[in-house]
Amino acid sequence: MIIDCHGHYTTSPRQHEAWRTEQIAAHGDGRAAPPRPAIGDDEIRASIVNGQLKLQQERGTDLTIFSPRAAGMGHHLGDATTSEAWAAACNELIYRVCTLFPRNFIGVCMLPQTAGVSPRNCIAELERCVLQYGFVGCNLNPDPSGGFWKDPPLGDRYWYPLYEKMVELDVPAMIHVSAACNPAFHTTGSHYLNGDTAGFMQCLTSDLFKNFPTLKFIIPHGGGAVPYHWGRFRGIAQDMKLPPLTELLLKNVFFDTCVYHLAGQELLTKVIPVENILFASEMIGAVRGIDPETGHHYDDTKRYIEQLPLAAADKAKLYEGNAHRVYGRLSSQLAKQFSGA
Amino acid sequence: MIIDCHGHYTTSPRQHEAWRTEQIAAHGDGRAAPPRPAIGDDEIRASIVNGQLKLQQERGTDLTIFSPRAAGMGHHLGDATTSEAWAAACNELIYRVCTLFPRNFIGVCMLPQTAGVSPRNCIAELERCVLQYGFVGCNLNPDPSGGFWKDPPLGDRYWYPLYEKMVELDVPAMIHVSAACNPAFHTTGSHYLNGDTAGFMQCLTSDLFKNFPTLKFIIPHGGGAVPYHWGRFRGIAQDMKLPPLTELLLKNVFFDTCVYHLAGQELLTKVIPVENILFASEMIGAVRGIDPETGHHYDDTKRYIEQLPLAAADKAKLYEGNAHRVYGRLSSQLAKQFSGA
């Protein structure tokens, strides 16, 4: 089985995102948000059959760990109330996708984060998504301010209440920023990658995994700049008299394979232990075109991995085994969804 | 000749940085700064002979393009007046190093930037450093706020007066942030790399090089996350209907080789045309230890390059030729410094 651990519902029915625009406008005007729009099962089906499911089939992958559109989370917009209602709406849609296509999608939730508001606020929604919807993880935004980096770093105790709940529920977080509202950053070109690199470094300089030895983070987009600068990070840790990165972080930190060219994938798998790499494409995402150099979609990451000199056993870890290890609830949830329970 | 295009004076005499502390304290108290300390030629000599020069000789490089300590620029501290005085002091020290060791160092200046203050303010110091001191470039901080990213992106007309002067003087800028005062970032671990990636993306999304076809930027630290995600950047540009990156940027944007492990250097030279890569180490900088995997300093970047399958002609470009092309005043300044003129 080939599990893509990083997919967002970027093709959701139009009225869903339209409602978000209305919600934020209403909030700005001090009005109540309009009621949420009706979205039929057929609309959801069409958006998936012609989108993610079609590409799964064309590319030969089996299952996508699926979450709301990352740039759409918009934790810098509105306030705690709007974030809560929006997260609920987005997560519910993911649940409906997983219910309609139980063999192809398994859910991960977005959190109702708001810049400057305690992550305690996210606990109820996380619990609801995991226990009621059968979700297996969450996306955690290290910068709810959208590019101004106003919240404490991930190693700060500010975030601990959420980590406690994650550990209790046995769910990992993908460290994933949302849209940048700071003109210094391009959302998918610099802000995403910078969020990955900053998040990794926040872990490196903290006691986080000493205090939460079973907490697990996935750093998406191939780990931002981290594997390319693995020597730099090893050296900085060494200068700080910290243990080697393998000991310090690699029981808790994992990288996905959202790197859109072969040379990058080669580097990733050469530098990072295969146990710490999870297959992913973030397809129908940041880069949608076809690479004229290969004739294939940039984000068809499986094609790169097929070209790597990996042993079959290692490939199996990267495609499937590691996902089961990192997402502690994945195996049992899959069994449920496959049996139609 | 092997030219290291990225060195900072990290070993400057103690009273120099001590004065900075006093200057900023005085500014905070509304007092005038104390007079600048006396620094003898012998002190400068000792700091270089036992530092950069020793490593040049040990590692077999010839010349360092040398600028003030990057993390020390501190454009978020004080105001325009303190920045001006501090830049003048730092640049003067670099000039003295170049005068004492004319065959080993050639100067690049820091700019008296201040968050929220027009880059016009930097023109006089740039002109002074180039015309009086014989400097061949400048370091340009895309985020004088130190991690809060409050200034306009590099493509904005806000920066144009400075670019006009750079073009007139024929000097490039290395896009280099300073220390992070935002707790979200570790200065050398995430802020530097994020500054590189953000700066590159700001160029990609702007008309900058259409308006300044001879303007040249060096993106340090191997280009941040850029070469590792070259496919992503190519794809994003393509989705935006922009020309290929080679056309769009690579006449104007160059990457240095400050990547501290072999796999990263392999990727850099595989992905980026050799014409766009400049040898650099940033030695006695972010990473000072010895890599137990190689037994050599992480930042001894020449050792990695010696292991790459590059043709001799390409290696010569990377080590020397490209530097002469990017730093338009380098050849004539070198001739001056070598002849003792």
Side-chain angles (χ1 to χ4, degrees), chain A residues 228 234 238 261 290-291 298, chain B residues 234 238 261 290-291 298:
Chain A
Y228 176 46
R234 286 202 299 116
Q238 186 177 318
H261 64 149
I290 288 173
D291 186 346
Y298 287 99
Chain B
R234 286 203 298 116
Q238 185 177 318
H261 63 148
I290 289 174
D291 186 346
Y298 286 98

Side-chain angles (χ1 to χ4, degrees), chain B residues 18 32-33 45 169 196 219 233 271 315 336:
Chain B
R45 253 187 226 106
L169 294 171
D196 304 334
I219 314 278
F233 289 98
V271 165
K315 223 173 259 187
K336 262 193 216 167

Side-chain angles (χ1 to χ4, degrees), chain A residues 149 182 184 188 194 202 221-222 224 227-229 232 234 238-239 261 263-264 266-267 270 288-291 298, chain B residues 149 182 184 188-189 194 202 221-222 224 227-229 232 234 238-239 261 263-264 266-267 270 288-291 298:
Chain A
W149 293 90
N182 184 333
T188 55
N194 288 2
Q202 291 174 2
H221 321 110
Y228 176 46
H229 287 284
R232 184 180 189 88
R234 286 202 299 116
Q238 186 177 318
D239 284 357
H261 64 149
E266 283 171 349
L267 175 117
K270 199 183 281 181
R288 306 202 177 182
I290 288 173
D291 186 346
Y298 287 99
Chain B
W149 293 91
N182 183 333
T188 55
N194 288 2
Q202 291 174 3
H221 320 109
Y228 175 46
H229 287 284
R232 184 180 190 88
R234 286 203 298 116
Q238 185 177 318
D239 284 357
H261 63 148
E266 284 172 348
L267 176 117
K270 199 182 281 182
R288 305 200 178 183
I290 289 174
D291 186 346
Y298 286 98

